[in-house]
Amino acid sequence: MTALVASAATALTLASAPASARDYISIVGSSTVYPFATTVAERFGRSTSHPTPKIESTGSGGGMKLFCAGVGTQNPDITNASRRMKKSEFEQCQQNGVKDIAEVVIGYDGIVVANSAEAKHVDLTLRDLFLALAKEVPNPNGKEELVANPYQTWKDVNPALPNTKIEVLGPPPTSGTRDAFDELAIEGGCKTFPWLKAIKSEDKGRYKAICRSIREDGAYIEAGENDNLIVQKLQKNPAAFGVFGFSYLDQNRGKIQAANVAGNAPTFDTIASGDYPLSRSLYFYVKKAHVGVVPGIEGYVKEFTSEKAWGPDGYLADKGMIPLGDDLRADMGKQARNLTPMTGDELH
């Protein structure tokens, strides 16, 4: 009996060991949210007695996988995302014991399609982006049938565009920016063909396969999760375009320029209003089971959702994040500080 008690005590000690194994906040996720989270973490580290949180740029999908792997300080406390958590990810979290998750919408971002400031400035439509980058497109002869993407130059897609090879550097499938680009740009252009749009009501799976699949013949080049690297490559190759978050454009003005999309330039105002069609919300997710175990989580959330950080005149706006409207920001701030758990019903 004593041996059993000793064995049980040892097991309990081992099970609880990870809970005291870390005194800093561990954050993973989106490369787009990374510069904002890093700024908040540095301020938090300087202004409190807590260590500066450790942040890894893993991409939104990679972050969700790590976040949902389980409870215990061998797993991250917070994950950043440049798109909303998927229903399948929420279910994965639940299966692995990550039960109470607080969702915080922190602001807006725009996905830009940019090229070197030395190249010609272009105006693109959503249809241009679909025809240039989709895996399969409507037959150029006008028949309502799909063919492997035949377009080699932007001029092939639209006579008003430059006669340069289609070469777009962008994020991989693990990135929230890629998810959002597929949905907002590629699907957005796909829907401009009524016969393709009609497929959605008949067969959602087929519609998604057509309207969100990127070509794999070299026209779209996966450039990893490092958006700064894409900016550097655009400077070296004025014929290429890059896909990344607005904040990287904002920080590199003079080196690169953004195309207008559907007649709108990406600016603070057009992204906040939704007039710029490649606008999206930014998020982070908090594992409530780690609050009170890893010190400082509540303080970090409070810093991030303070007016001095995410307000219209806050230091995150200086970094290129577009603030939420006053009412939404007030509601979201209250929800964040209360760490209100998600139900999963709000996801799809």
Side-chain angles (χ1 to χ4, degrees):
M1 191 70 177
T2 308
L4 281 173
V5 172
S7 175
T10 303
L12 184 63
T13 303
L14 289 172
S16 62
S20 58
R22 180 156 56 73
D23 66 349
Y24 60 87
I25 302 167
S26 172
I27 303 172
V28 293
S30 164
S31 62
T32 302
V33 180
Y34 177 81
F36 308 134
T38 300
T39 302
V40 174
E42 288 168 353
R43 296 257 184 158
F44 178 74
R46 285 201 304 268
S47 62
T48 70
S49 59
H50 299 292
T52 300
K54 180 184 174 186
I55 306 178
E56 295 176 78
S57 178
T58 62
S60 296
M64 291 293 181
K65 196 173 286 186
L66 292 166
F67 180 80
C68 290
V71 170
T73 55
Q74 68 273 31
N75 302 298
D77 312 308
I78 296 172
T79 190
N80 300 320
S82 55
R83 46 95 173 150
R84 198 171 203 183
M85 178 181 274
K86 297 175 183 176
K87 185 86 170 176
S88 59
E89 291 166 336
F90 181 81
E91 288 166 356
Q92 187 67 46
C93 266
Q94 301 299 301
Q95 287 168 20
N96 291 335
V98 183
K99 299 291 186 183
D100 289 337
I101 304 163
E103 177 184 71
V104 184
V105 183
I106 57 172
Y108 303 115
D109 184 40
I111 299 171
V112 301
V113 181
N115 60 354
S116 165
E118 296 172 13
K120 182 182 178 184
H121 182 263
V122 298
D123 284 82
L124 298 169
T125 65
L126 293 175
R127 181 175 283 203
D128 291 338
L129 289 168
F130 171 68
L131 292 178
L133 295 173
K135 192 171 185 178
E136 292 186 311
V137 295
N139 195 322
N141 68 15
K143 286 186 181 178
E144 290 189 0
E145 63 182 13
L146 291 165
V147 297
N149 197 321
Y151 300 114
Q152 298 301 309
T153 70
W154 288 98
K155 195 176 182 69
D156 293 340
V157 168
N158 180 340
L161 296 175
N163 188 23
T164 53
K165 181 183 170 186
I166 297 169
E167 188 175 350
V168 178
L169 303 161
T174 52
S175 166
T177 299
R178 170 69 175 271
D179 285 338
F181 183 72
D182 289 353
E183 179 182 350
L184 299 171
I186 307 302
E187 183 182 344
C190 185
K191 289 190 294 191
T192 65
F193 292 91
W195 66 277
L196 288 177
K197 186 179 181 181
I199 294 172
K200 188 172 186 178
S201 57
E202 301 160 12
D203 186 340
K204 280 188 178 178
R206 181 166 176 256
Y207 169 81
K208 193 172 177 181
I210 294 166
C211 290
R212 293 197 191 179
S213 291
I214 299 275
R215 62 197 293 185
E216 298 169 351
D217 58 358
Y220 182 91
I221 301 153
E222 289 182 9
E225 296 284 2
N226 188 340
D227 294 340
N228 283 315
L229 190 61
I230 297 178
V231 172
Q232 290 167 20
K233 288 184 176 180
L234 296 183
Q235 290 178 267
K236 293 176 183 175
N237 182 3
F241 285 86
V243 173
F244 42 81
F246 172 77
S247 63
Y248 289 89
L249 170 73
D250 205 42
Q251 292 161 26
N252 290 280
R253 292 196 184 277
K255 299 176 185 175
I256 53 174
Q257 60 184 341
N260 290 356
V261 179
N264 289 280
T267 65
F268 262 56
D269 291 341
T270 60
I271 293 168
S273 67
D275 290 337
Y276 180 69
L278 306 186
S279 305
R280 39 103 182 247
S281 299
L282 302 177
Y283 304 79
F284 67 76
Y285 294 86
V286 183
K287 194 175 292 179
K288 280 198 77 174
H290 286 197
V291 175
V293 176
V294 175
I297 294 175
E298 289 171 297
Y300 173 82
V301 172
K302 190 175 179 182
E303 173 67 28
F304 211 128
T305 57
S306 66
E307 281 299 289
K308 66 180 179 183
W310 74 348
D313 300 314
Y315 59 76
L316 292 177
D318 292 340
K319 288 283 181 182
M321 191 179 84
I322 290 85
L324 301 172
D326 292 346
D327 292 344
L328 180 57
R329 202 169 63 254
D331 289 346
M332 192 50 60
K334 186 178 178 183
Q335 184 177 309
R337 287 185 283 278
N338 291 335
L339 292 172
T340 308
M342 302 164 65
T343 64
D345 295 338
E346 59 272 70
L347 306 176
H348 56 80

